[in-house]
Amino acid sequence: MDSEIDYKKYLEAVEQQSRVFFVLISHVLVKGPKKAYSQLFLARLKVEAGHLEDFLDYYGCLHNKQWFPVRESVAVIKSFSGSCFKCTRLIEQLPKKRIFKDEIEFKESIVDAYSVLKKALYNSCKNSITQFKKVGVVQKVCPIDCSFQNDYPDLGFIEKNRKKRSIKSAEHAAVSLATSFLNIAEDFGQLKKIVKTKKSDYLGMIPDVFDEAKLMQFENKFHSLQSLFDTYLSESQKLNADKTLPSLKNYISVIYHLLDIGTKCSHYIERHAAYFKPSLLTSVVQPVSDLDLVTLIIDTFIANALVFTQKAQRLCKETLINYEKRGKIKVNIPNYRGFHVRPSTLIAKIVIHYGTEIKMIMDDKTYNAAIPLELFRANEVINAQKRFMITRVVNNMKLIKEKNSVELDSVKLREAISAVYIQLMENNDITLYNKSFSFEDLPPIHGEKIAAYAKRAITHHLATGTLDIKSDQEVCFEGDVRVLEDIKILAENGYGEDKFGNNIVLPKELSYLRR
């Protein structure tokens, strides 16, 4: 059981712990919502707000009706100061990055977002002062050096004189980075539907369509990519020789920062905004309207992150081509009807996903594996070989040898062909998809022998999809080994379907194909 608090000592402790915090928020109120804040100042404010929030949580403010608004006001300041810091970082860094030189609209959108978030921070500071007064906290300030209110002084930069390391795994890391990015980008692309939504529907998007948790997942994934780059590539000699990797790293960094801000803003809407509804407000103000903030999240942070993700995808594909390792694999053809729509489409999606050239080779003919219609054409070769193989099987059947020399009437021929089909099915030489069919729509030709009739019937039913012929035919794929590995996994999993053409679940390595 919690012990009763010594309230007088508790107030003194709060006053002591909040002294620097009050200096900082007082500075915000003096400057007003239109002035810019330095990165150093915003970073310090975020740290102090976080420290004070933890202190208040330790003593149970989260569950006390008088102190909960105090704790909320501090938490909101932490959130908005962090968002403002990220905006200032983007605004300061963008002009230094060559790939963002012509991104004028993007720069303007970040400046506009910063203006909205600065006002939200200003209003939050006003609210915090009010809430602390309500609980009787004397707002003491301490004399601290306020030089951090200014930005980093322009002193130039320390000489870059560390030698780049020759990292053996750098090439592998570059490929891993590009491949991982492409996989994450496929998932992230699902958010395109959000930016196409009418603005009148924006408020209904959180949490039904996206929320803090979803954005945080993507934020963490892109952050992991940035860490991978910093660990294995940033100090590698490979970086000096590769013009693509630095640009890719810049895109990853900006996408991560955009999603970080979007996540913080979503957190405010889901966690804090309910306590600042106009109907509930008395002595405090709403930091920012929910609609304005959701609009920022969608139109600025998510939309721009999606744009840069698409641009980075092209760099990833260039990287994979630059570090391409070529190889060959042989896999079985699809069980069900060869390279029809589903297998051909899935193979093409794998190839397009990586952006490298993959060839499919069969019977000395070459097909572009990135084009489903090209793969469809292989069925001509596959079916010709199937017909040749099944004809040989049929001709060697005892039943055929016994009756082929005898002229049978139409009734006897149909009985014989039915017996042939049954035997072929029992031996797993054919798979029948429509077991209720008959031979009535395929009457024998006058004078036709059982072997010829069987060949014509099987050819007809193969063409109409009534049956398929079991085949151990193999096809060769040639190209980048990373792409070939995914094609091999697809083939080992029936090209996404069972022997009757029903859709099956693909392994997690190919989850991007189902998006």
Side-chain angles (χ1 to χ4, degrees):
M1 185 175 177
D2 295 338
S3 59
E4 187 175 344
I5 196 168
D6 184 327
Y7 199 73
K8 182 178 178 182
K9 288 185 177 179
Y10 167 69
L11 276 180
E12 291 175 353
V14 172
E15 289 168 0
Q16 179 66 29
Q17 294 295 325
S18 61
R19 292 174 72 191
V20 176
F21 175 76
F22 284 133
V23 171
L24 301 178
I25 65 174
S26 298
H27 177 70
V28 171
L29 296 177
V30 169
K31 289 196 75 170
K34 295 184 178 180
K35 295 290 182 67
Y37 306 107
S38 74
Q39 292 180 54
L40 289 172
F41 173 79
L42 292 168
R44 182 71 180 271
L45 177 55
K46 180 177 181 293
V47 169
E48 289 297 331
H51 162 71
L52 187 54
E53 180 187 15
D54 291 341
F55 180 85
L56 295 172
D57 283 349
Y58 179 84
Y59 288 100
C61 292
L62 198 59
H63 308 290
N64 180 276
K65 64 181 180 180
Q66 283 81 30
W67 280 88
F68 175 74
V70 177
R71 188 262 182 203
E72 278 295 286
S73 72
V74 175
V76 169
I77 288 173
K78 183 182 77 171
S79 179
F80 284 128
S81 60
S83 297
C84 286
F85 172 80
K86 289 286 185 176
C87 283
T88 58
R89 176 59 61 88
L90 283 173
I91 292 168
E92 191 263 337
Q93 290 292 324
L94 287 177
K96 301 176 182 178
K97 310 296 183 185
R98 180 180 56 82
I99 57 173
F100 297 110
K101 183 179 178 181
D102 299 322
E103 301 287 353
I104 307 300
E105 289 185 9
F106 171 56
K107 296 174 189 174
E108 291 175 349
S109 70
I110 296 300
V111 171
D112 291 341
Y114 182 35
S115 297
V116 173
L117 294 171
K118 278 192 300 180
K119 187 172 182 180
L121 177 61
Y122 175 82
N123 288 334
S124 300
C125 291
K126 286 175 64 177
N127 289 338
S128 194
I129 293 288
T130 301
Q131 297 299 348
F132 273 102
K133 284 181 179 178
K134 280 186 176 181
V135 293
V137 173
V138 178
Q139 295 167 22
K140 297 179 180 179
V141 297
C142 62
I144 60 173
D145 181 5
C146 290
S147 61
F148 57 82
Q149 294 174 6
N150 301 316
D151 224 324
Y152 298 99
D154 186 8
L155 305 174
F157 298 97
I158 294 175
E159 180 187 359
K160 295 180 180 179
N161 54 16
R162 281 186 63 206
K163 290 183 178 180
K164 296 289 184 180
R165 293 184 293 161
S166 178
I167 302 175
K168 291 182 179 180
S169 59
E171 186 172 310
H172 174 76
V175 170
S176 178
L177 178 75
T179 304
S180 298
F181 187 99
L182 290 173
N183 290 333
I184 295 169
E186 289 289 341
D187 267 340
F188 188 51
Q190 296 177 62
L191 297 189
K192 288 178 184 176
K193 61 185 178 184
I194 295 173
V195 298
K196 295 178 181 178
T197 306
K198 295 179 182 177
K199 281 188 169 54
S200 56
D201 296 328
Y202 274 11
L203 280 177
M205 302 295 280
I206 299 179
D208 295 336
V209 180
F210 75 95
D211 55 13
E212 175 194 4
K214 191 164 192 173
L215 290 183
M216 186 178 289
Q217 280 183 343
F218 289 120
E219 174 197 341
N220 290 338
K221 287 179 179 179
F222 284 108
H223 191 210
S224 295
L225 293 181
Q226 185 169 281
S227 298
L228 180 105
F229 187 98
D230 291 341
T231 303
Y232 296 104
L233 292 169
S234 62
E235 295 187 10
S236 167
Q237 292 176 351
K238 185 71 64 179
L239 196 62
N240 290 336
D242 194 313
K243 295 180 180 179
T244 303
L245 289 175
S247 296
L248 179 57
K249 198 266 185 179
N250 288 333
Y251 277 131
I252 292 171
S253 178
V254 168
I255 293 167
Y256 161 63
H257 287 310
L258 288 170
L259 291 177
D260 184 29
I261 303 171
T263 299
K264 286 180 171 63
C265 293
S266 296
H267 172 81
Y268 167 81
I269 291 173
E270 292 179 63
R271 183 74 181 271
H272 304 294
Y275 303 109
F276 297 98
K277 296 294 183 186
S279 58
L280 301 176
L281 301 179
T282 52
S283 55
V284 294
V285 296
Q286 186 180 28
V288 58
S289 78
D290 291 357
L291 180 58
D292 285 348
L293 201 54
V294 175
T295 300
L296 270 190
I297 296 171
I298 296 174
D299 290 354
T300 300
F301 305 126
I302 293 179
N304 281 310
L306 284 167
V307 168
F308 293 134
T309 298
Q310 283 187 312
K311 293 183 177 183
Q313 280 176 290
R314 291 194 286 270
L315 295 181
C316 289
K317 291 175 180 180
E318 285 182 31
T319 298
L320 292 178
I321 292 171
N322 291 340
Y323 297 101
E324 182 180 60
K325 290 184 178 179
R326 298 192 66 79
K328 290 182 181 181
I329 58 167
K330 281 188 176 182
V331 293
N332 290 329
I333 64 170
N335 284 322
Y336 178 76
R337 297 183 181 176
F339 290 102
H340 67 104
V341 175
R342 183 181 288 127
S344 299
T345 302
L346 291 176
I347 290 169
K349 285 180 74 173
I350 290 175
V351 177
I352 292 168
H353 176 70
Y354 288 101
T356 61
E357 183 182 1
I358 301 293
K359 296 177 181 178
M360 187 179 84
I361 303 166
M362 186 175 191
D363 198 27
D364 296 327
K365 293 184 179 180
T366 302
Y367 308 89
N368 185 344
I371 304 174
L373 288 174
E374 280 270 298
L375 302 182
F376 293 168
R377 292 196 299 109
N379 282 336
E380 299 170 9
V381 176
I382 292 170
N383 289 335
Q385 292 183 5
K386 284 182 176 181
R387 290 192 298 269
F388 175 79
M389 181 193 67
I390 202 67
T391 299
R392 190 168 56 185
V393 171
V394 169
N395 288 340
N396 287 327
M397 292 174 69
K398 184 178 178 182
L399 184 152
I400 293 292
K401 288 179 178 179
E402 289 176 351
K403 296 185 179 292
N404 202 47
S405 59
V406 181
E407 189 170 332
L408 304 173
D409 61 27
S410 61
V411 175
K412 294 291 185 181
L413 271 174
R414 286 194 176 97
E415 289 176 357
I417 193 67
S418 295
V420 168
Y421 269 48
I422 290 170
Q423 188 174 333
L424 289 173
M425 284 190 290
E426 288 175 347
N427 294 336
N428 290 321
D429 290 317
I430 65 171
T431 299
L432 204 59
Y433 299 125
N434 180 10
K435 295 183 180 180
S436 64
F437 85 105
S438 70
F439 295 96
E440 296 299 325
D441 61 340
L442 196 68
I445 299 171
H446 180 70
E448 192 172 32
K449 298 294 180 70
I450 181 61
Y453 186 32
K455 179 181 179 180
R456 185 164 62 88
I458 291 172
T459 299
H460 171 74
H461 290 138
L462 178 64
T464 57
T466 304
L467 62 75
D468 204 355
I469 300 166
K470 182 182 177 183
S471 172
D472 294 325
Q473 291 171 266
E474 290 185 328
V475 65
C476 176
F477 285 94
E478 186 179 287
D480 189 337
V481 294
R482 293 172 293 271
V483 189
L484 298 183
E485 180 60 30
D486 280 8
I487 293 176
K488 183 180 179 182
I489 294 172
L490 180 67
E492 290 170 347
N493 286 270
Y495 294 88
E497 56 192 16
D498 61 20
K499 67 177 183 178
F500 295 106
N502 299 311
N503 194 23
I504 64 172
V505 177
L506 291 172
K508 64 179 182 179
E509 295 94 333
L510 303 180
S511 59
Y512 62 87
L513 294 177
R514 293 300 183 202
R515 293 161 197 154

